[in-house]
Amino acid sequence: MKYYVSTPIYYVNARPHLGHAYTTIVNDVLTRFHVLDGYDSYFLTGTDEHGDKIVRAAEKEGRTPKEYVDEISSLFQAAWPGLSIGYNDFIRTTEERHKKVVSRFMELVEKNGDIYFGEYGGHYCFGCERFYTEKELVDGLCPDHLVKPEFISEKNYFFRMSKYQDWLIDYVKANPDFIRPERYRNEVLGFLREPLEDLCISRPKSRLTWGIDLPFDDQYVTYVWFDALINYISALGWPDGELYAKYWPAAQHTIAKDILKPHAIFWPTMLKSAGLPIYRHLNVHGYWQIGLSKMSKSVGNVVEALSMAQKYGTDSFRYFLMREMTFGLDSEFSEDRLVWRYNSDLANDFGNLWQRSLAMIAKFNGGQIPALSGPAQPDEPEWRKRAEDLIQSWRTAFDAVNPRGALNEVWDFVGLLNKTIDSEAPWALAKDPEKRPRLETVLFRLAEGMALVAALVWPVMPSTAETIWRRLGLDPALMKPECATIRQLLRHDRPVEAGPSLFPRVETEENAAKAAKAAKASSANSAGSAASADTAKTGETKAKAAEPKGNEGEAEGLIIGIDEFKRVEMRTAKILSAEKVPKSDKLVKLSVSLGDSERTIVAGIGKFYSPEDLVGRMIVVVANLAPAKLMGQKSQGMALAASTGDSLVLVTVAGDVPPGTRIS
């Protein structure tokens, strides 16, 4: 089994920032998943170093283009190891190996009769380095840079892209997972409903010399996009390189949505013209936004990814990015949200589980994994099935390029392990010698469960996962997401090591204020328990970090800040099916589409809506609500409704709004 994935090659007119980091981390996570799952994997990234913008940026700093691109490209190469990113190759478009492949590729396209010479006039955005039609402009401005393009008329070479329009439409329709999520496949088909123009693929040297010469006319250089896209095969040594033969059949690209058109339209038609196989998948993610604006250097809202990773830990930062963004949709970045996610998911949920489990293994079994001397417990088959179901759900989510969904499944299991401690009460089992077999089973399940969780989060948090395995006496080199393997590897004669906290809680001014208030209340209450006092000192909630709530009276409790409001992720959702929940006259089980994924939501609307009346409605849901079970049914969100006491009306959406659109 082979797996080959690439990032876009990043344009070197800006230093690495969060947008670059997210795409690269996603690809690192996907590559690690495939390695863990037994694939022979290859991961490519690099830098795009030609074009108008590079010349202008270099001139602004008083340097030659070569001096400028060497420096910025080195910043990208230096940044990725600091984010635990392990690529196989880093391609630069100024390398000779790339230039040779571009020339050979263009010769093939020209030989096929798909390049011609002509004159064109259009609105040229130097920021995008492309021509825009009147229809593509927004109020006369470039939709990305919000500046008025310059009208340029000049003679150039053109690629007969229009020749392949019908072929591309048929190909996209015949391969539903070629472009994913589906919303972007639909967007590309929307592009293709309009006549496809031919692509200008050169720039005259009278205007620009910084580029790769056309092999058939040395008075022109290659248009930067036509040059850049070819990196995906030049890095593999096309046409006769061993890597090309080995990995190109399994190729897929991961990009942000702003470069959808070049990758979904330019690149496939270029490959078709040259007679090369088409890549397998195009994975498209949304923007990280700050204050509901796309993160960009020109807007001035760039977040330095490395500074966040250094402040909160690389694994924690990677976890936040993968857990917070639904792949394909936009997401809001804030440091407050990162801290909340860290304290809630990592410090409280998982970190607390680790410390409690290891402490009980130390206290009740001499610090060693139990040997399970007694007979198998009656609920063992159910426990096995739950773990196997988790692995399958995790694998299915990653196969669909849904890291968030994979982590959601894992954290449901973390919750189950925490509940196991509370419900089984090992401290009580330890008091009764006759319950020793049950105590050993519970402690073993905790150790096994944490080893499994570590294996499943290794693609996202490699350092943390390997630390957990080592502390459990396991060799990280043998890590596999398999229950049977983990059971076989767990040693009963080697002590486990709790060690320092995996995720020390991040204290903020708000947390400190709450802790001080809790401490004051605790000291005033002479009957307060020791547990309460401990909670007051640390500012911890019982087992889960809670969202801020007003507690100074009803009026204050109703007021929230804008940061709290932004945490509520409301999205449009289309109801695909609906059915009554057995033994309930109130609950209805809804299957809804959020565009890039489907989920189940249980809503208390059965007295006001029949299931058949609900199918096809576009409703509004809270998409980032923690999963809950209602009457045995798992609910993954909340449908919004207005209640007047004696009636209830679902909040619906009018107009042509796709499922998954964020409400803001």
Side-chain angles (χ1 to χ4, degrees):
M1 298 183 294
K2 302 291 189 293
Y3 177 76
Y4 169 46
V5 71
S6 72
T7 68
I9 48 173
Y10 301 118
Y11 211 43
V12 291
N13 66 317
R15 299 164 61 90
H17 59 63
L18 179 61
H20 304 121
Y22 175 77
T23 311
T24 317
I25 290 172
V26 164
N27 276 7
D28 182 76
V29 168
L30 293 174
T31 301
R32 288 176 185 272
F33 160 74
H34 282 88
V35 168
L36 201 60
D37 222 26
Y39 283 73
D40 178 357
S41 301
Y42 201 82
F43 170 21
L44 173 70
T45 189
T47 46
D48 181 4
E49 303 179 14
H50 291 128
D52 288 302
K53 279 194 292 189
I54 302 305
V55 174
R56 291 187 173 199
E59 288 175 347
K60 188 176 180 180
E61 296 192 10
R63 303 184 187 186
T64 66
K66 184 65 167 63
E67 291 171 339
Y68 177 82
V69 299
D70 283 349
E71 179 189 354
I72 304 300
S73 181
S74 69
L75 294 178
F76 279 88
Q77 294 180 62
W80 300 151
L83 296 173
S84 296
I85 293 166
Y87 52 81
N88 294 93
D89 192 6
F90 191 101
I91 183 80
R92 297 181 60 186
T93 56
T94 50
E95 294 179 60
E96 286 303 316
R97 60 168 173 161
H98 176 71
K99 293 178 181 179
K100 290 177 182 177
V101 170
V102 170
S103 294
R104 184 160 184 176
F105 188 94
M106 295 194 77
E107 286 172 347
L108 272 180
V109 175
E110 196 229 1
K111 185 178 180 181
N112 196 33
D114 288 339
I115 292 178
Y116 65 91
F117 193 68
E119 187 167 358
Y120 179 80
H123 303 279
Y124 190 78
C125 173
F126 283 89
C128 298
E129 301 208 44
R130 57 162 290 197
F131 288 99
Y132 280 95
T133 64
E134 291 280 358
K135 184 182 291 188
E136 290 176 313
L137 299 177
V138 177
D139 298 326
L141 305 179
C142 163
D144 243 8
H145 294 89
L146 303 180
V147 296
K148 186 176 181 179
E150 183 177 330
F151 190 87
I152 293 178
S153 179
E154 61 188 15
K155 292 181 179 180
N156 270 305
Y157 287 88
F158 292 81
F159 167 53
R160 296 185 193 276
M161 196 161 63
S162 58
K163 172 181 173 181
Y164 298 99
Q165 179 165 4
D166 290 341
W167 165 81
L168 184 56
I169 291 172
D170 292 342
Y171 188 87
V172 172
K173 287 182 176 179
N175 296 273
D177 64 348
F178 174 55
I179 301 168
R180 39 189 202 180
E182 184 182 7
R183 62 194 294 123
Y184 297 109
R185 174 177 177 269
N186 294 337
E187 188 173 329
V188 169
L189 289 173
F191 287 152
L192 294 171
R193 279 195 286 268
E194 300 291 331
L196 195 59
E197 294 186 351
D198 290 341
L199 180 65
C200 179
I201 61 165
S202 68
R203 298 291 182 263
K205 283 190 175 179
S206 59
R207 180 162 68 84
L208 177 69
T209 59
W210 181 246
I212 299 174
D213 286 358
L214 294 186
F216 41 80
D217 191 335
D218 63 5
Q219 295 306 302
Y220 287 83
V221 295
T222 309
Y223 169 46
V224 65
W225 266 114
F226 207 90
D227 154 13
L229 291 164
I230 297 171
N231 91 91
Y232 303 128
I233 58 172
S234 67
L236 297 180
W238 175 82
D240 49 10
E242 180 181 340
L243 293 176
Y244 175 77
K246 185 177 182 181
Y247 291 113
W248 184 248
Q252 52 186 285
H253 310 306
T254 303
I255 63 167
K257 65 183 183 180
D258 57 339
I259 50 176
L260 174 62
K261 191 172 182 179
H263 283 84
I265 296 180
F266 298 2
W267 185 220
T269 56
M270 289 165 59
L271 290 167
K272 181 67 175 174
S273 173
L276 275 64
I278 311 304
Y279 57 87
R280 186 176 293 180
H281 298 298
L282 180 63
N283 309 311
V284 188
H285 67 76
Y287 293 146
W288 281 100
Q289 299 178 326
I290 294 182
L292 300 182
S293 295
K294 173 193 172 185
M295 189 174 299
S296 85
K297 179 185 176 185
S298 58
V299 176
N301 60 354
V302 168
V303 171
E304 292 289 347
L306 280 174
S307 66
M308 292 289 103
Q310 290 164 359
K311 186 172 183 179
Y312 297 105
T314 298
D315 277 11
S316 305
F317 180 66
R318 286 168 60 105
Y319 173 82
F320 171 77
L321 296 184
M322 296 304 104
R323 185 76 189 271
E324 195 70 10
M325 177 178 274
T326 298
F327 193 89
L329 302 178
D330 295 345
S331 190
E332 185 81 3
F333 181 90
S334 76
E335 189 170 355
D336 286 344
R337 181 66 182 174
L338 190 161
V339 170
W340 179 83
R341 179 68 77 181
Y342 175 99
N343 283 337
S344 173
D345 296 3
L346 300 179
N348 283 3
D349 287 351
F350 192 49
N352 189 42
L353 169 67
W354 172 261
Q355 293 301 127
R356 295 169 78 194
S357 300
L358 269 289
M360 287 186 290
I361 291 173
K363 185 173 183 179
F364 303 132
N365 205 64
Q368 294 182 343
I369 307 295
L372 296 181
S373 55
Q377 296 294 303
D379 62 344
E380 188 66 15
E382 179 183 348
W383 180 262
R384 298 282 110 229
K385 185 177 185 305
R386 179 64 184 85
E388 294 296 341
D389 287 348
L390 164 64
I391 295 168
Q392 185 55 50
S393 298
W394 168 86
R395 184 174 284 116
T396 299
F398 266 123
D399 284 339
V401 195
N402 183 11
R404 181 181 186 178
L407 289 172
N408 285 344
E409 294 291 341
V410 174
W411 249 252
D412 282 351
F413 190 72
V414 169
L416 176 64
L417 292 172
N418 273 311
K419 288 177 183 176
T420 296
I421 294 176
D422 296 335
S423 62
E424 296 284 354
W427 50 90
L429 295 174
K431 295 177 181 178
D432 187 346
E434 293 185 2
K435 294 181 178 178
R436 180 68 190 181
R438 185 63 183 178
L439 174 63
E440 290 180 350
T441 296
V442 171
L443 296 180
F444 186 87
R445 285 178 181 175
L446 292 173
E448 179 189 20
M450 288 184 296
L452 176 58
V453 168
L456 299 183
V457 301
W458 180 79
V460 178
M461 298 190 290
S463 177
T464 298
E466 291 167 10
T467 295
I468 289 171
W469 267 53
R470 281 191 292 269
R471 291 187 186 178
L472 289 173
L474 303 174
D475 182 356
L478 303 176
M479 187 181 294
K480 286 186 179 296
E482 299 171 356
C483 293
T485 299
I486 291 171
R487 282 203 148 208
Q488 186 178 7
L489 291 174
L490 280 173
R491 296 278 298 273
H492 312 302
D493 58 350
R494 184 179 299 168
V496 298
E497 178 190 350
S501 174
L502 293 175
F503 301 103
R505 185 175 175 82
V506 174
E507 293 297 342
T508 63
E509 291 183 7
E510 182 181 18
N511 289 338
K514 286 183 179 180
K517 189 172 183 178
K520 183 177 180 181
S522 179
S523 62
N525 183 359
S526 58
S529 67
S532 300
D534 287 343
T535 299
K537 290 176 183 177
T538 61
E540 294 277 1
T541 56
K542 184 174 181 182
K544 180 111 177 151
E547 297 282 1
K549 296 179 181 177
N551 56 1
E552 294 289 77
E554 183 179 0
E556 183 176 334
L558 293 175
I559 298 174
I560 64 173
I562 187 65
D563 286 338
E564 292 171 77
F565 173 73
K566 287 178 180 177
R567 292 178 181 139
V568 181
E569 185 180 311
M570 292 183 287
R571 298 194 182 276
T572 59
K574 185 177 182 179
I575 299 177
L576 303 176
S577 64
E579 59 182 278
K580 288 273 192 179
V581 173
K583 300 181 181 180
S584 174
D585 61 349
K586 182 179 178 182
L587 298 181
V588 178
K589 181 180 175 182
L590 307 174
S591 176
V592 303
S593 169
L594 271 71
D596 63 329
S597 63
E598 295 180 12
R599 64 175 63 181
T600 298
I601 292 178
V602 179
I605 57 177
K607 291 184 177 180
F608 306 97
Y609 293 91
S610 62
E612 56 270 21
D613 290 337
L614 292 166
V615 177
R617 290 180 184 246
M618 187 73 75
I619 62 173
V620 177
V621 302
V622 177
N624 63 338
L625 194 66
K629 277 200 172 181
L630 303 173
M631 295 286 289
Q633 304 290 330
K634 184 177 180 181
S635 182
Q636 301 166 292
M638 176 187 290
L640 298 188
S643 175
T644 61
D646 56 354
S647 66
L648 182 145
V649 180
L650 278 170
V651 176
T652 57
V653 180
D656 186 17
V657 179
T661 301
R662 186 159 186 167
I663 308 296
S664 59

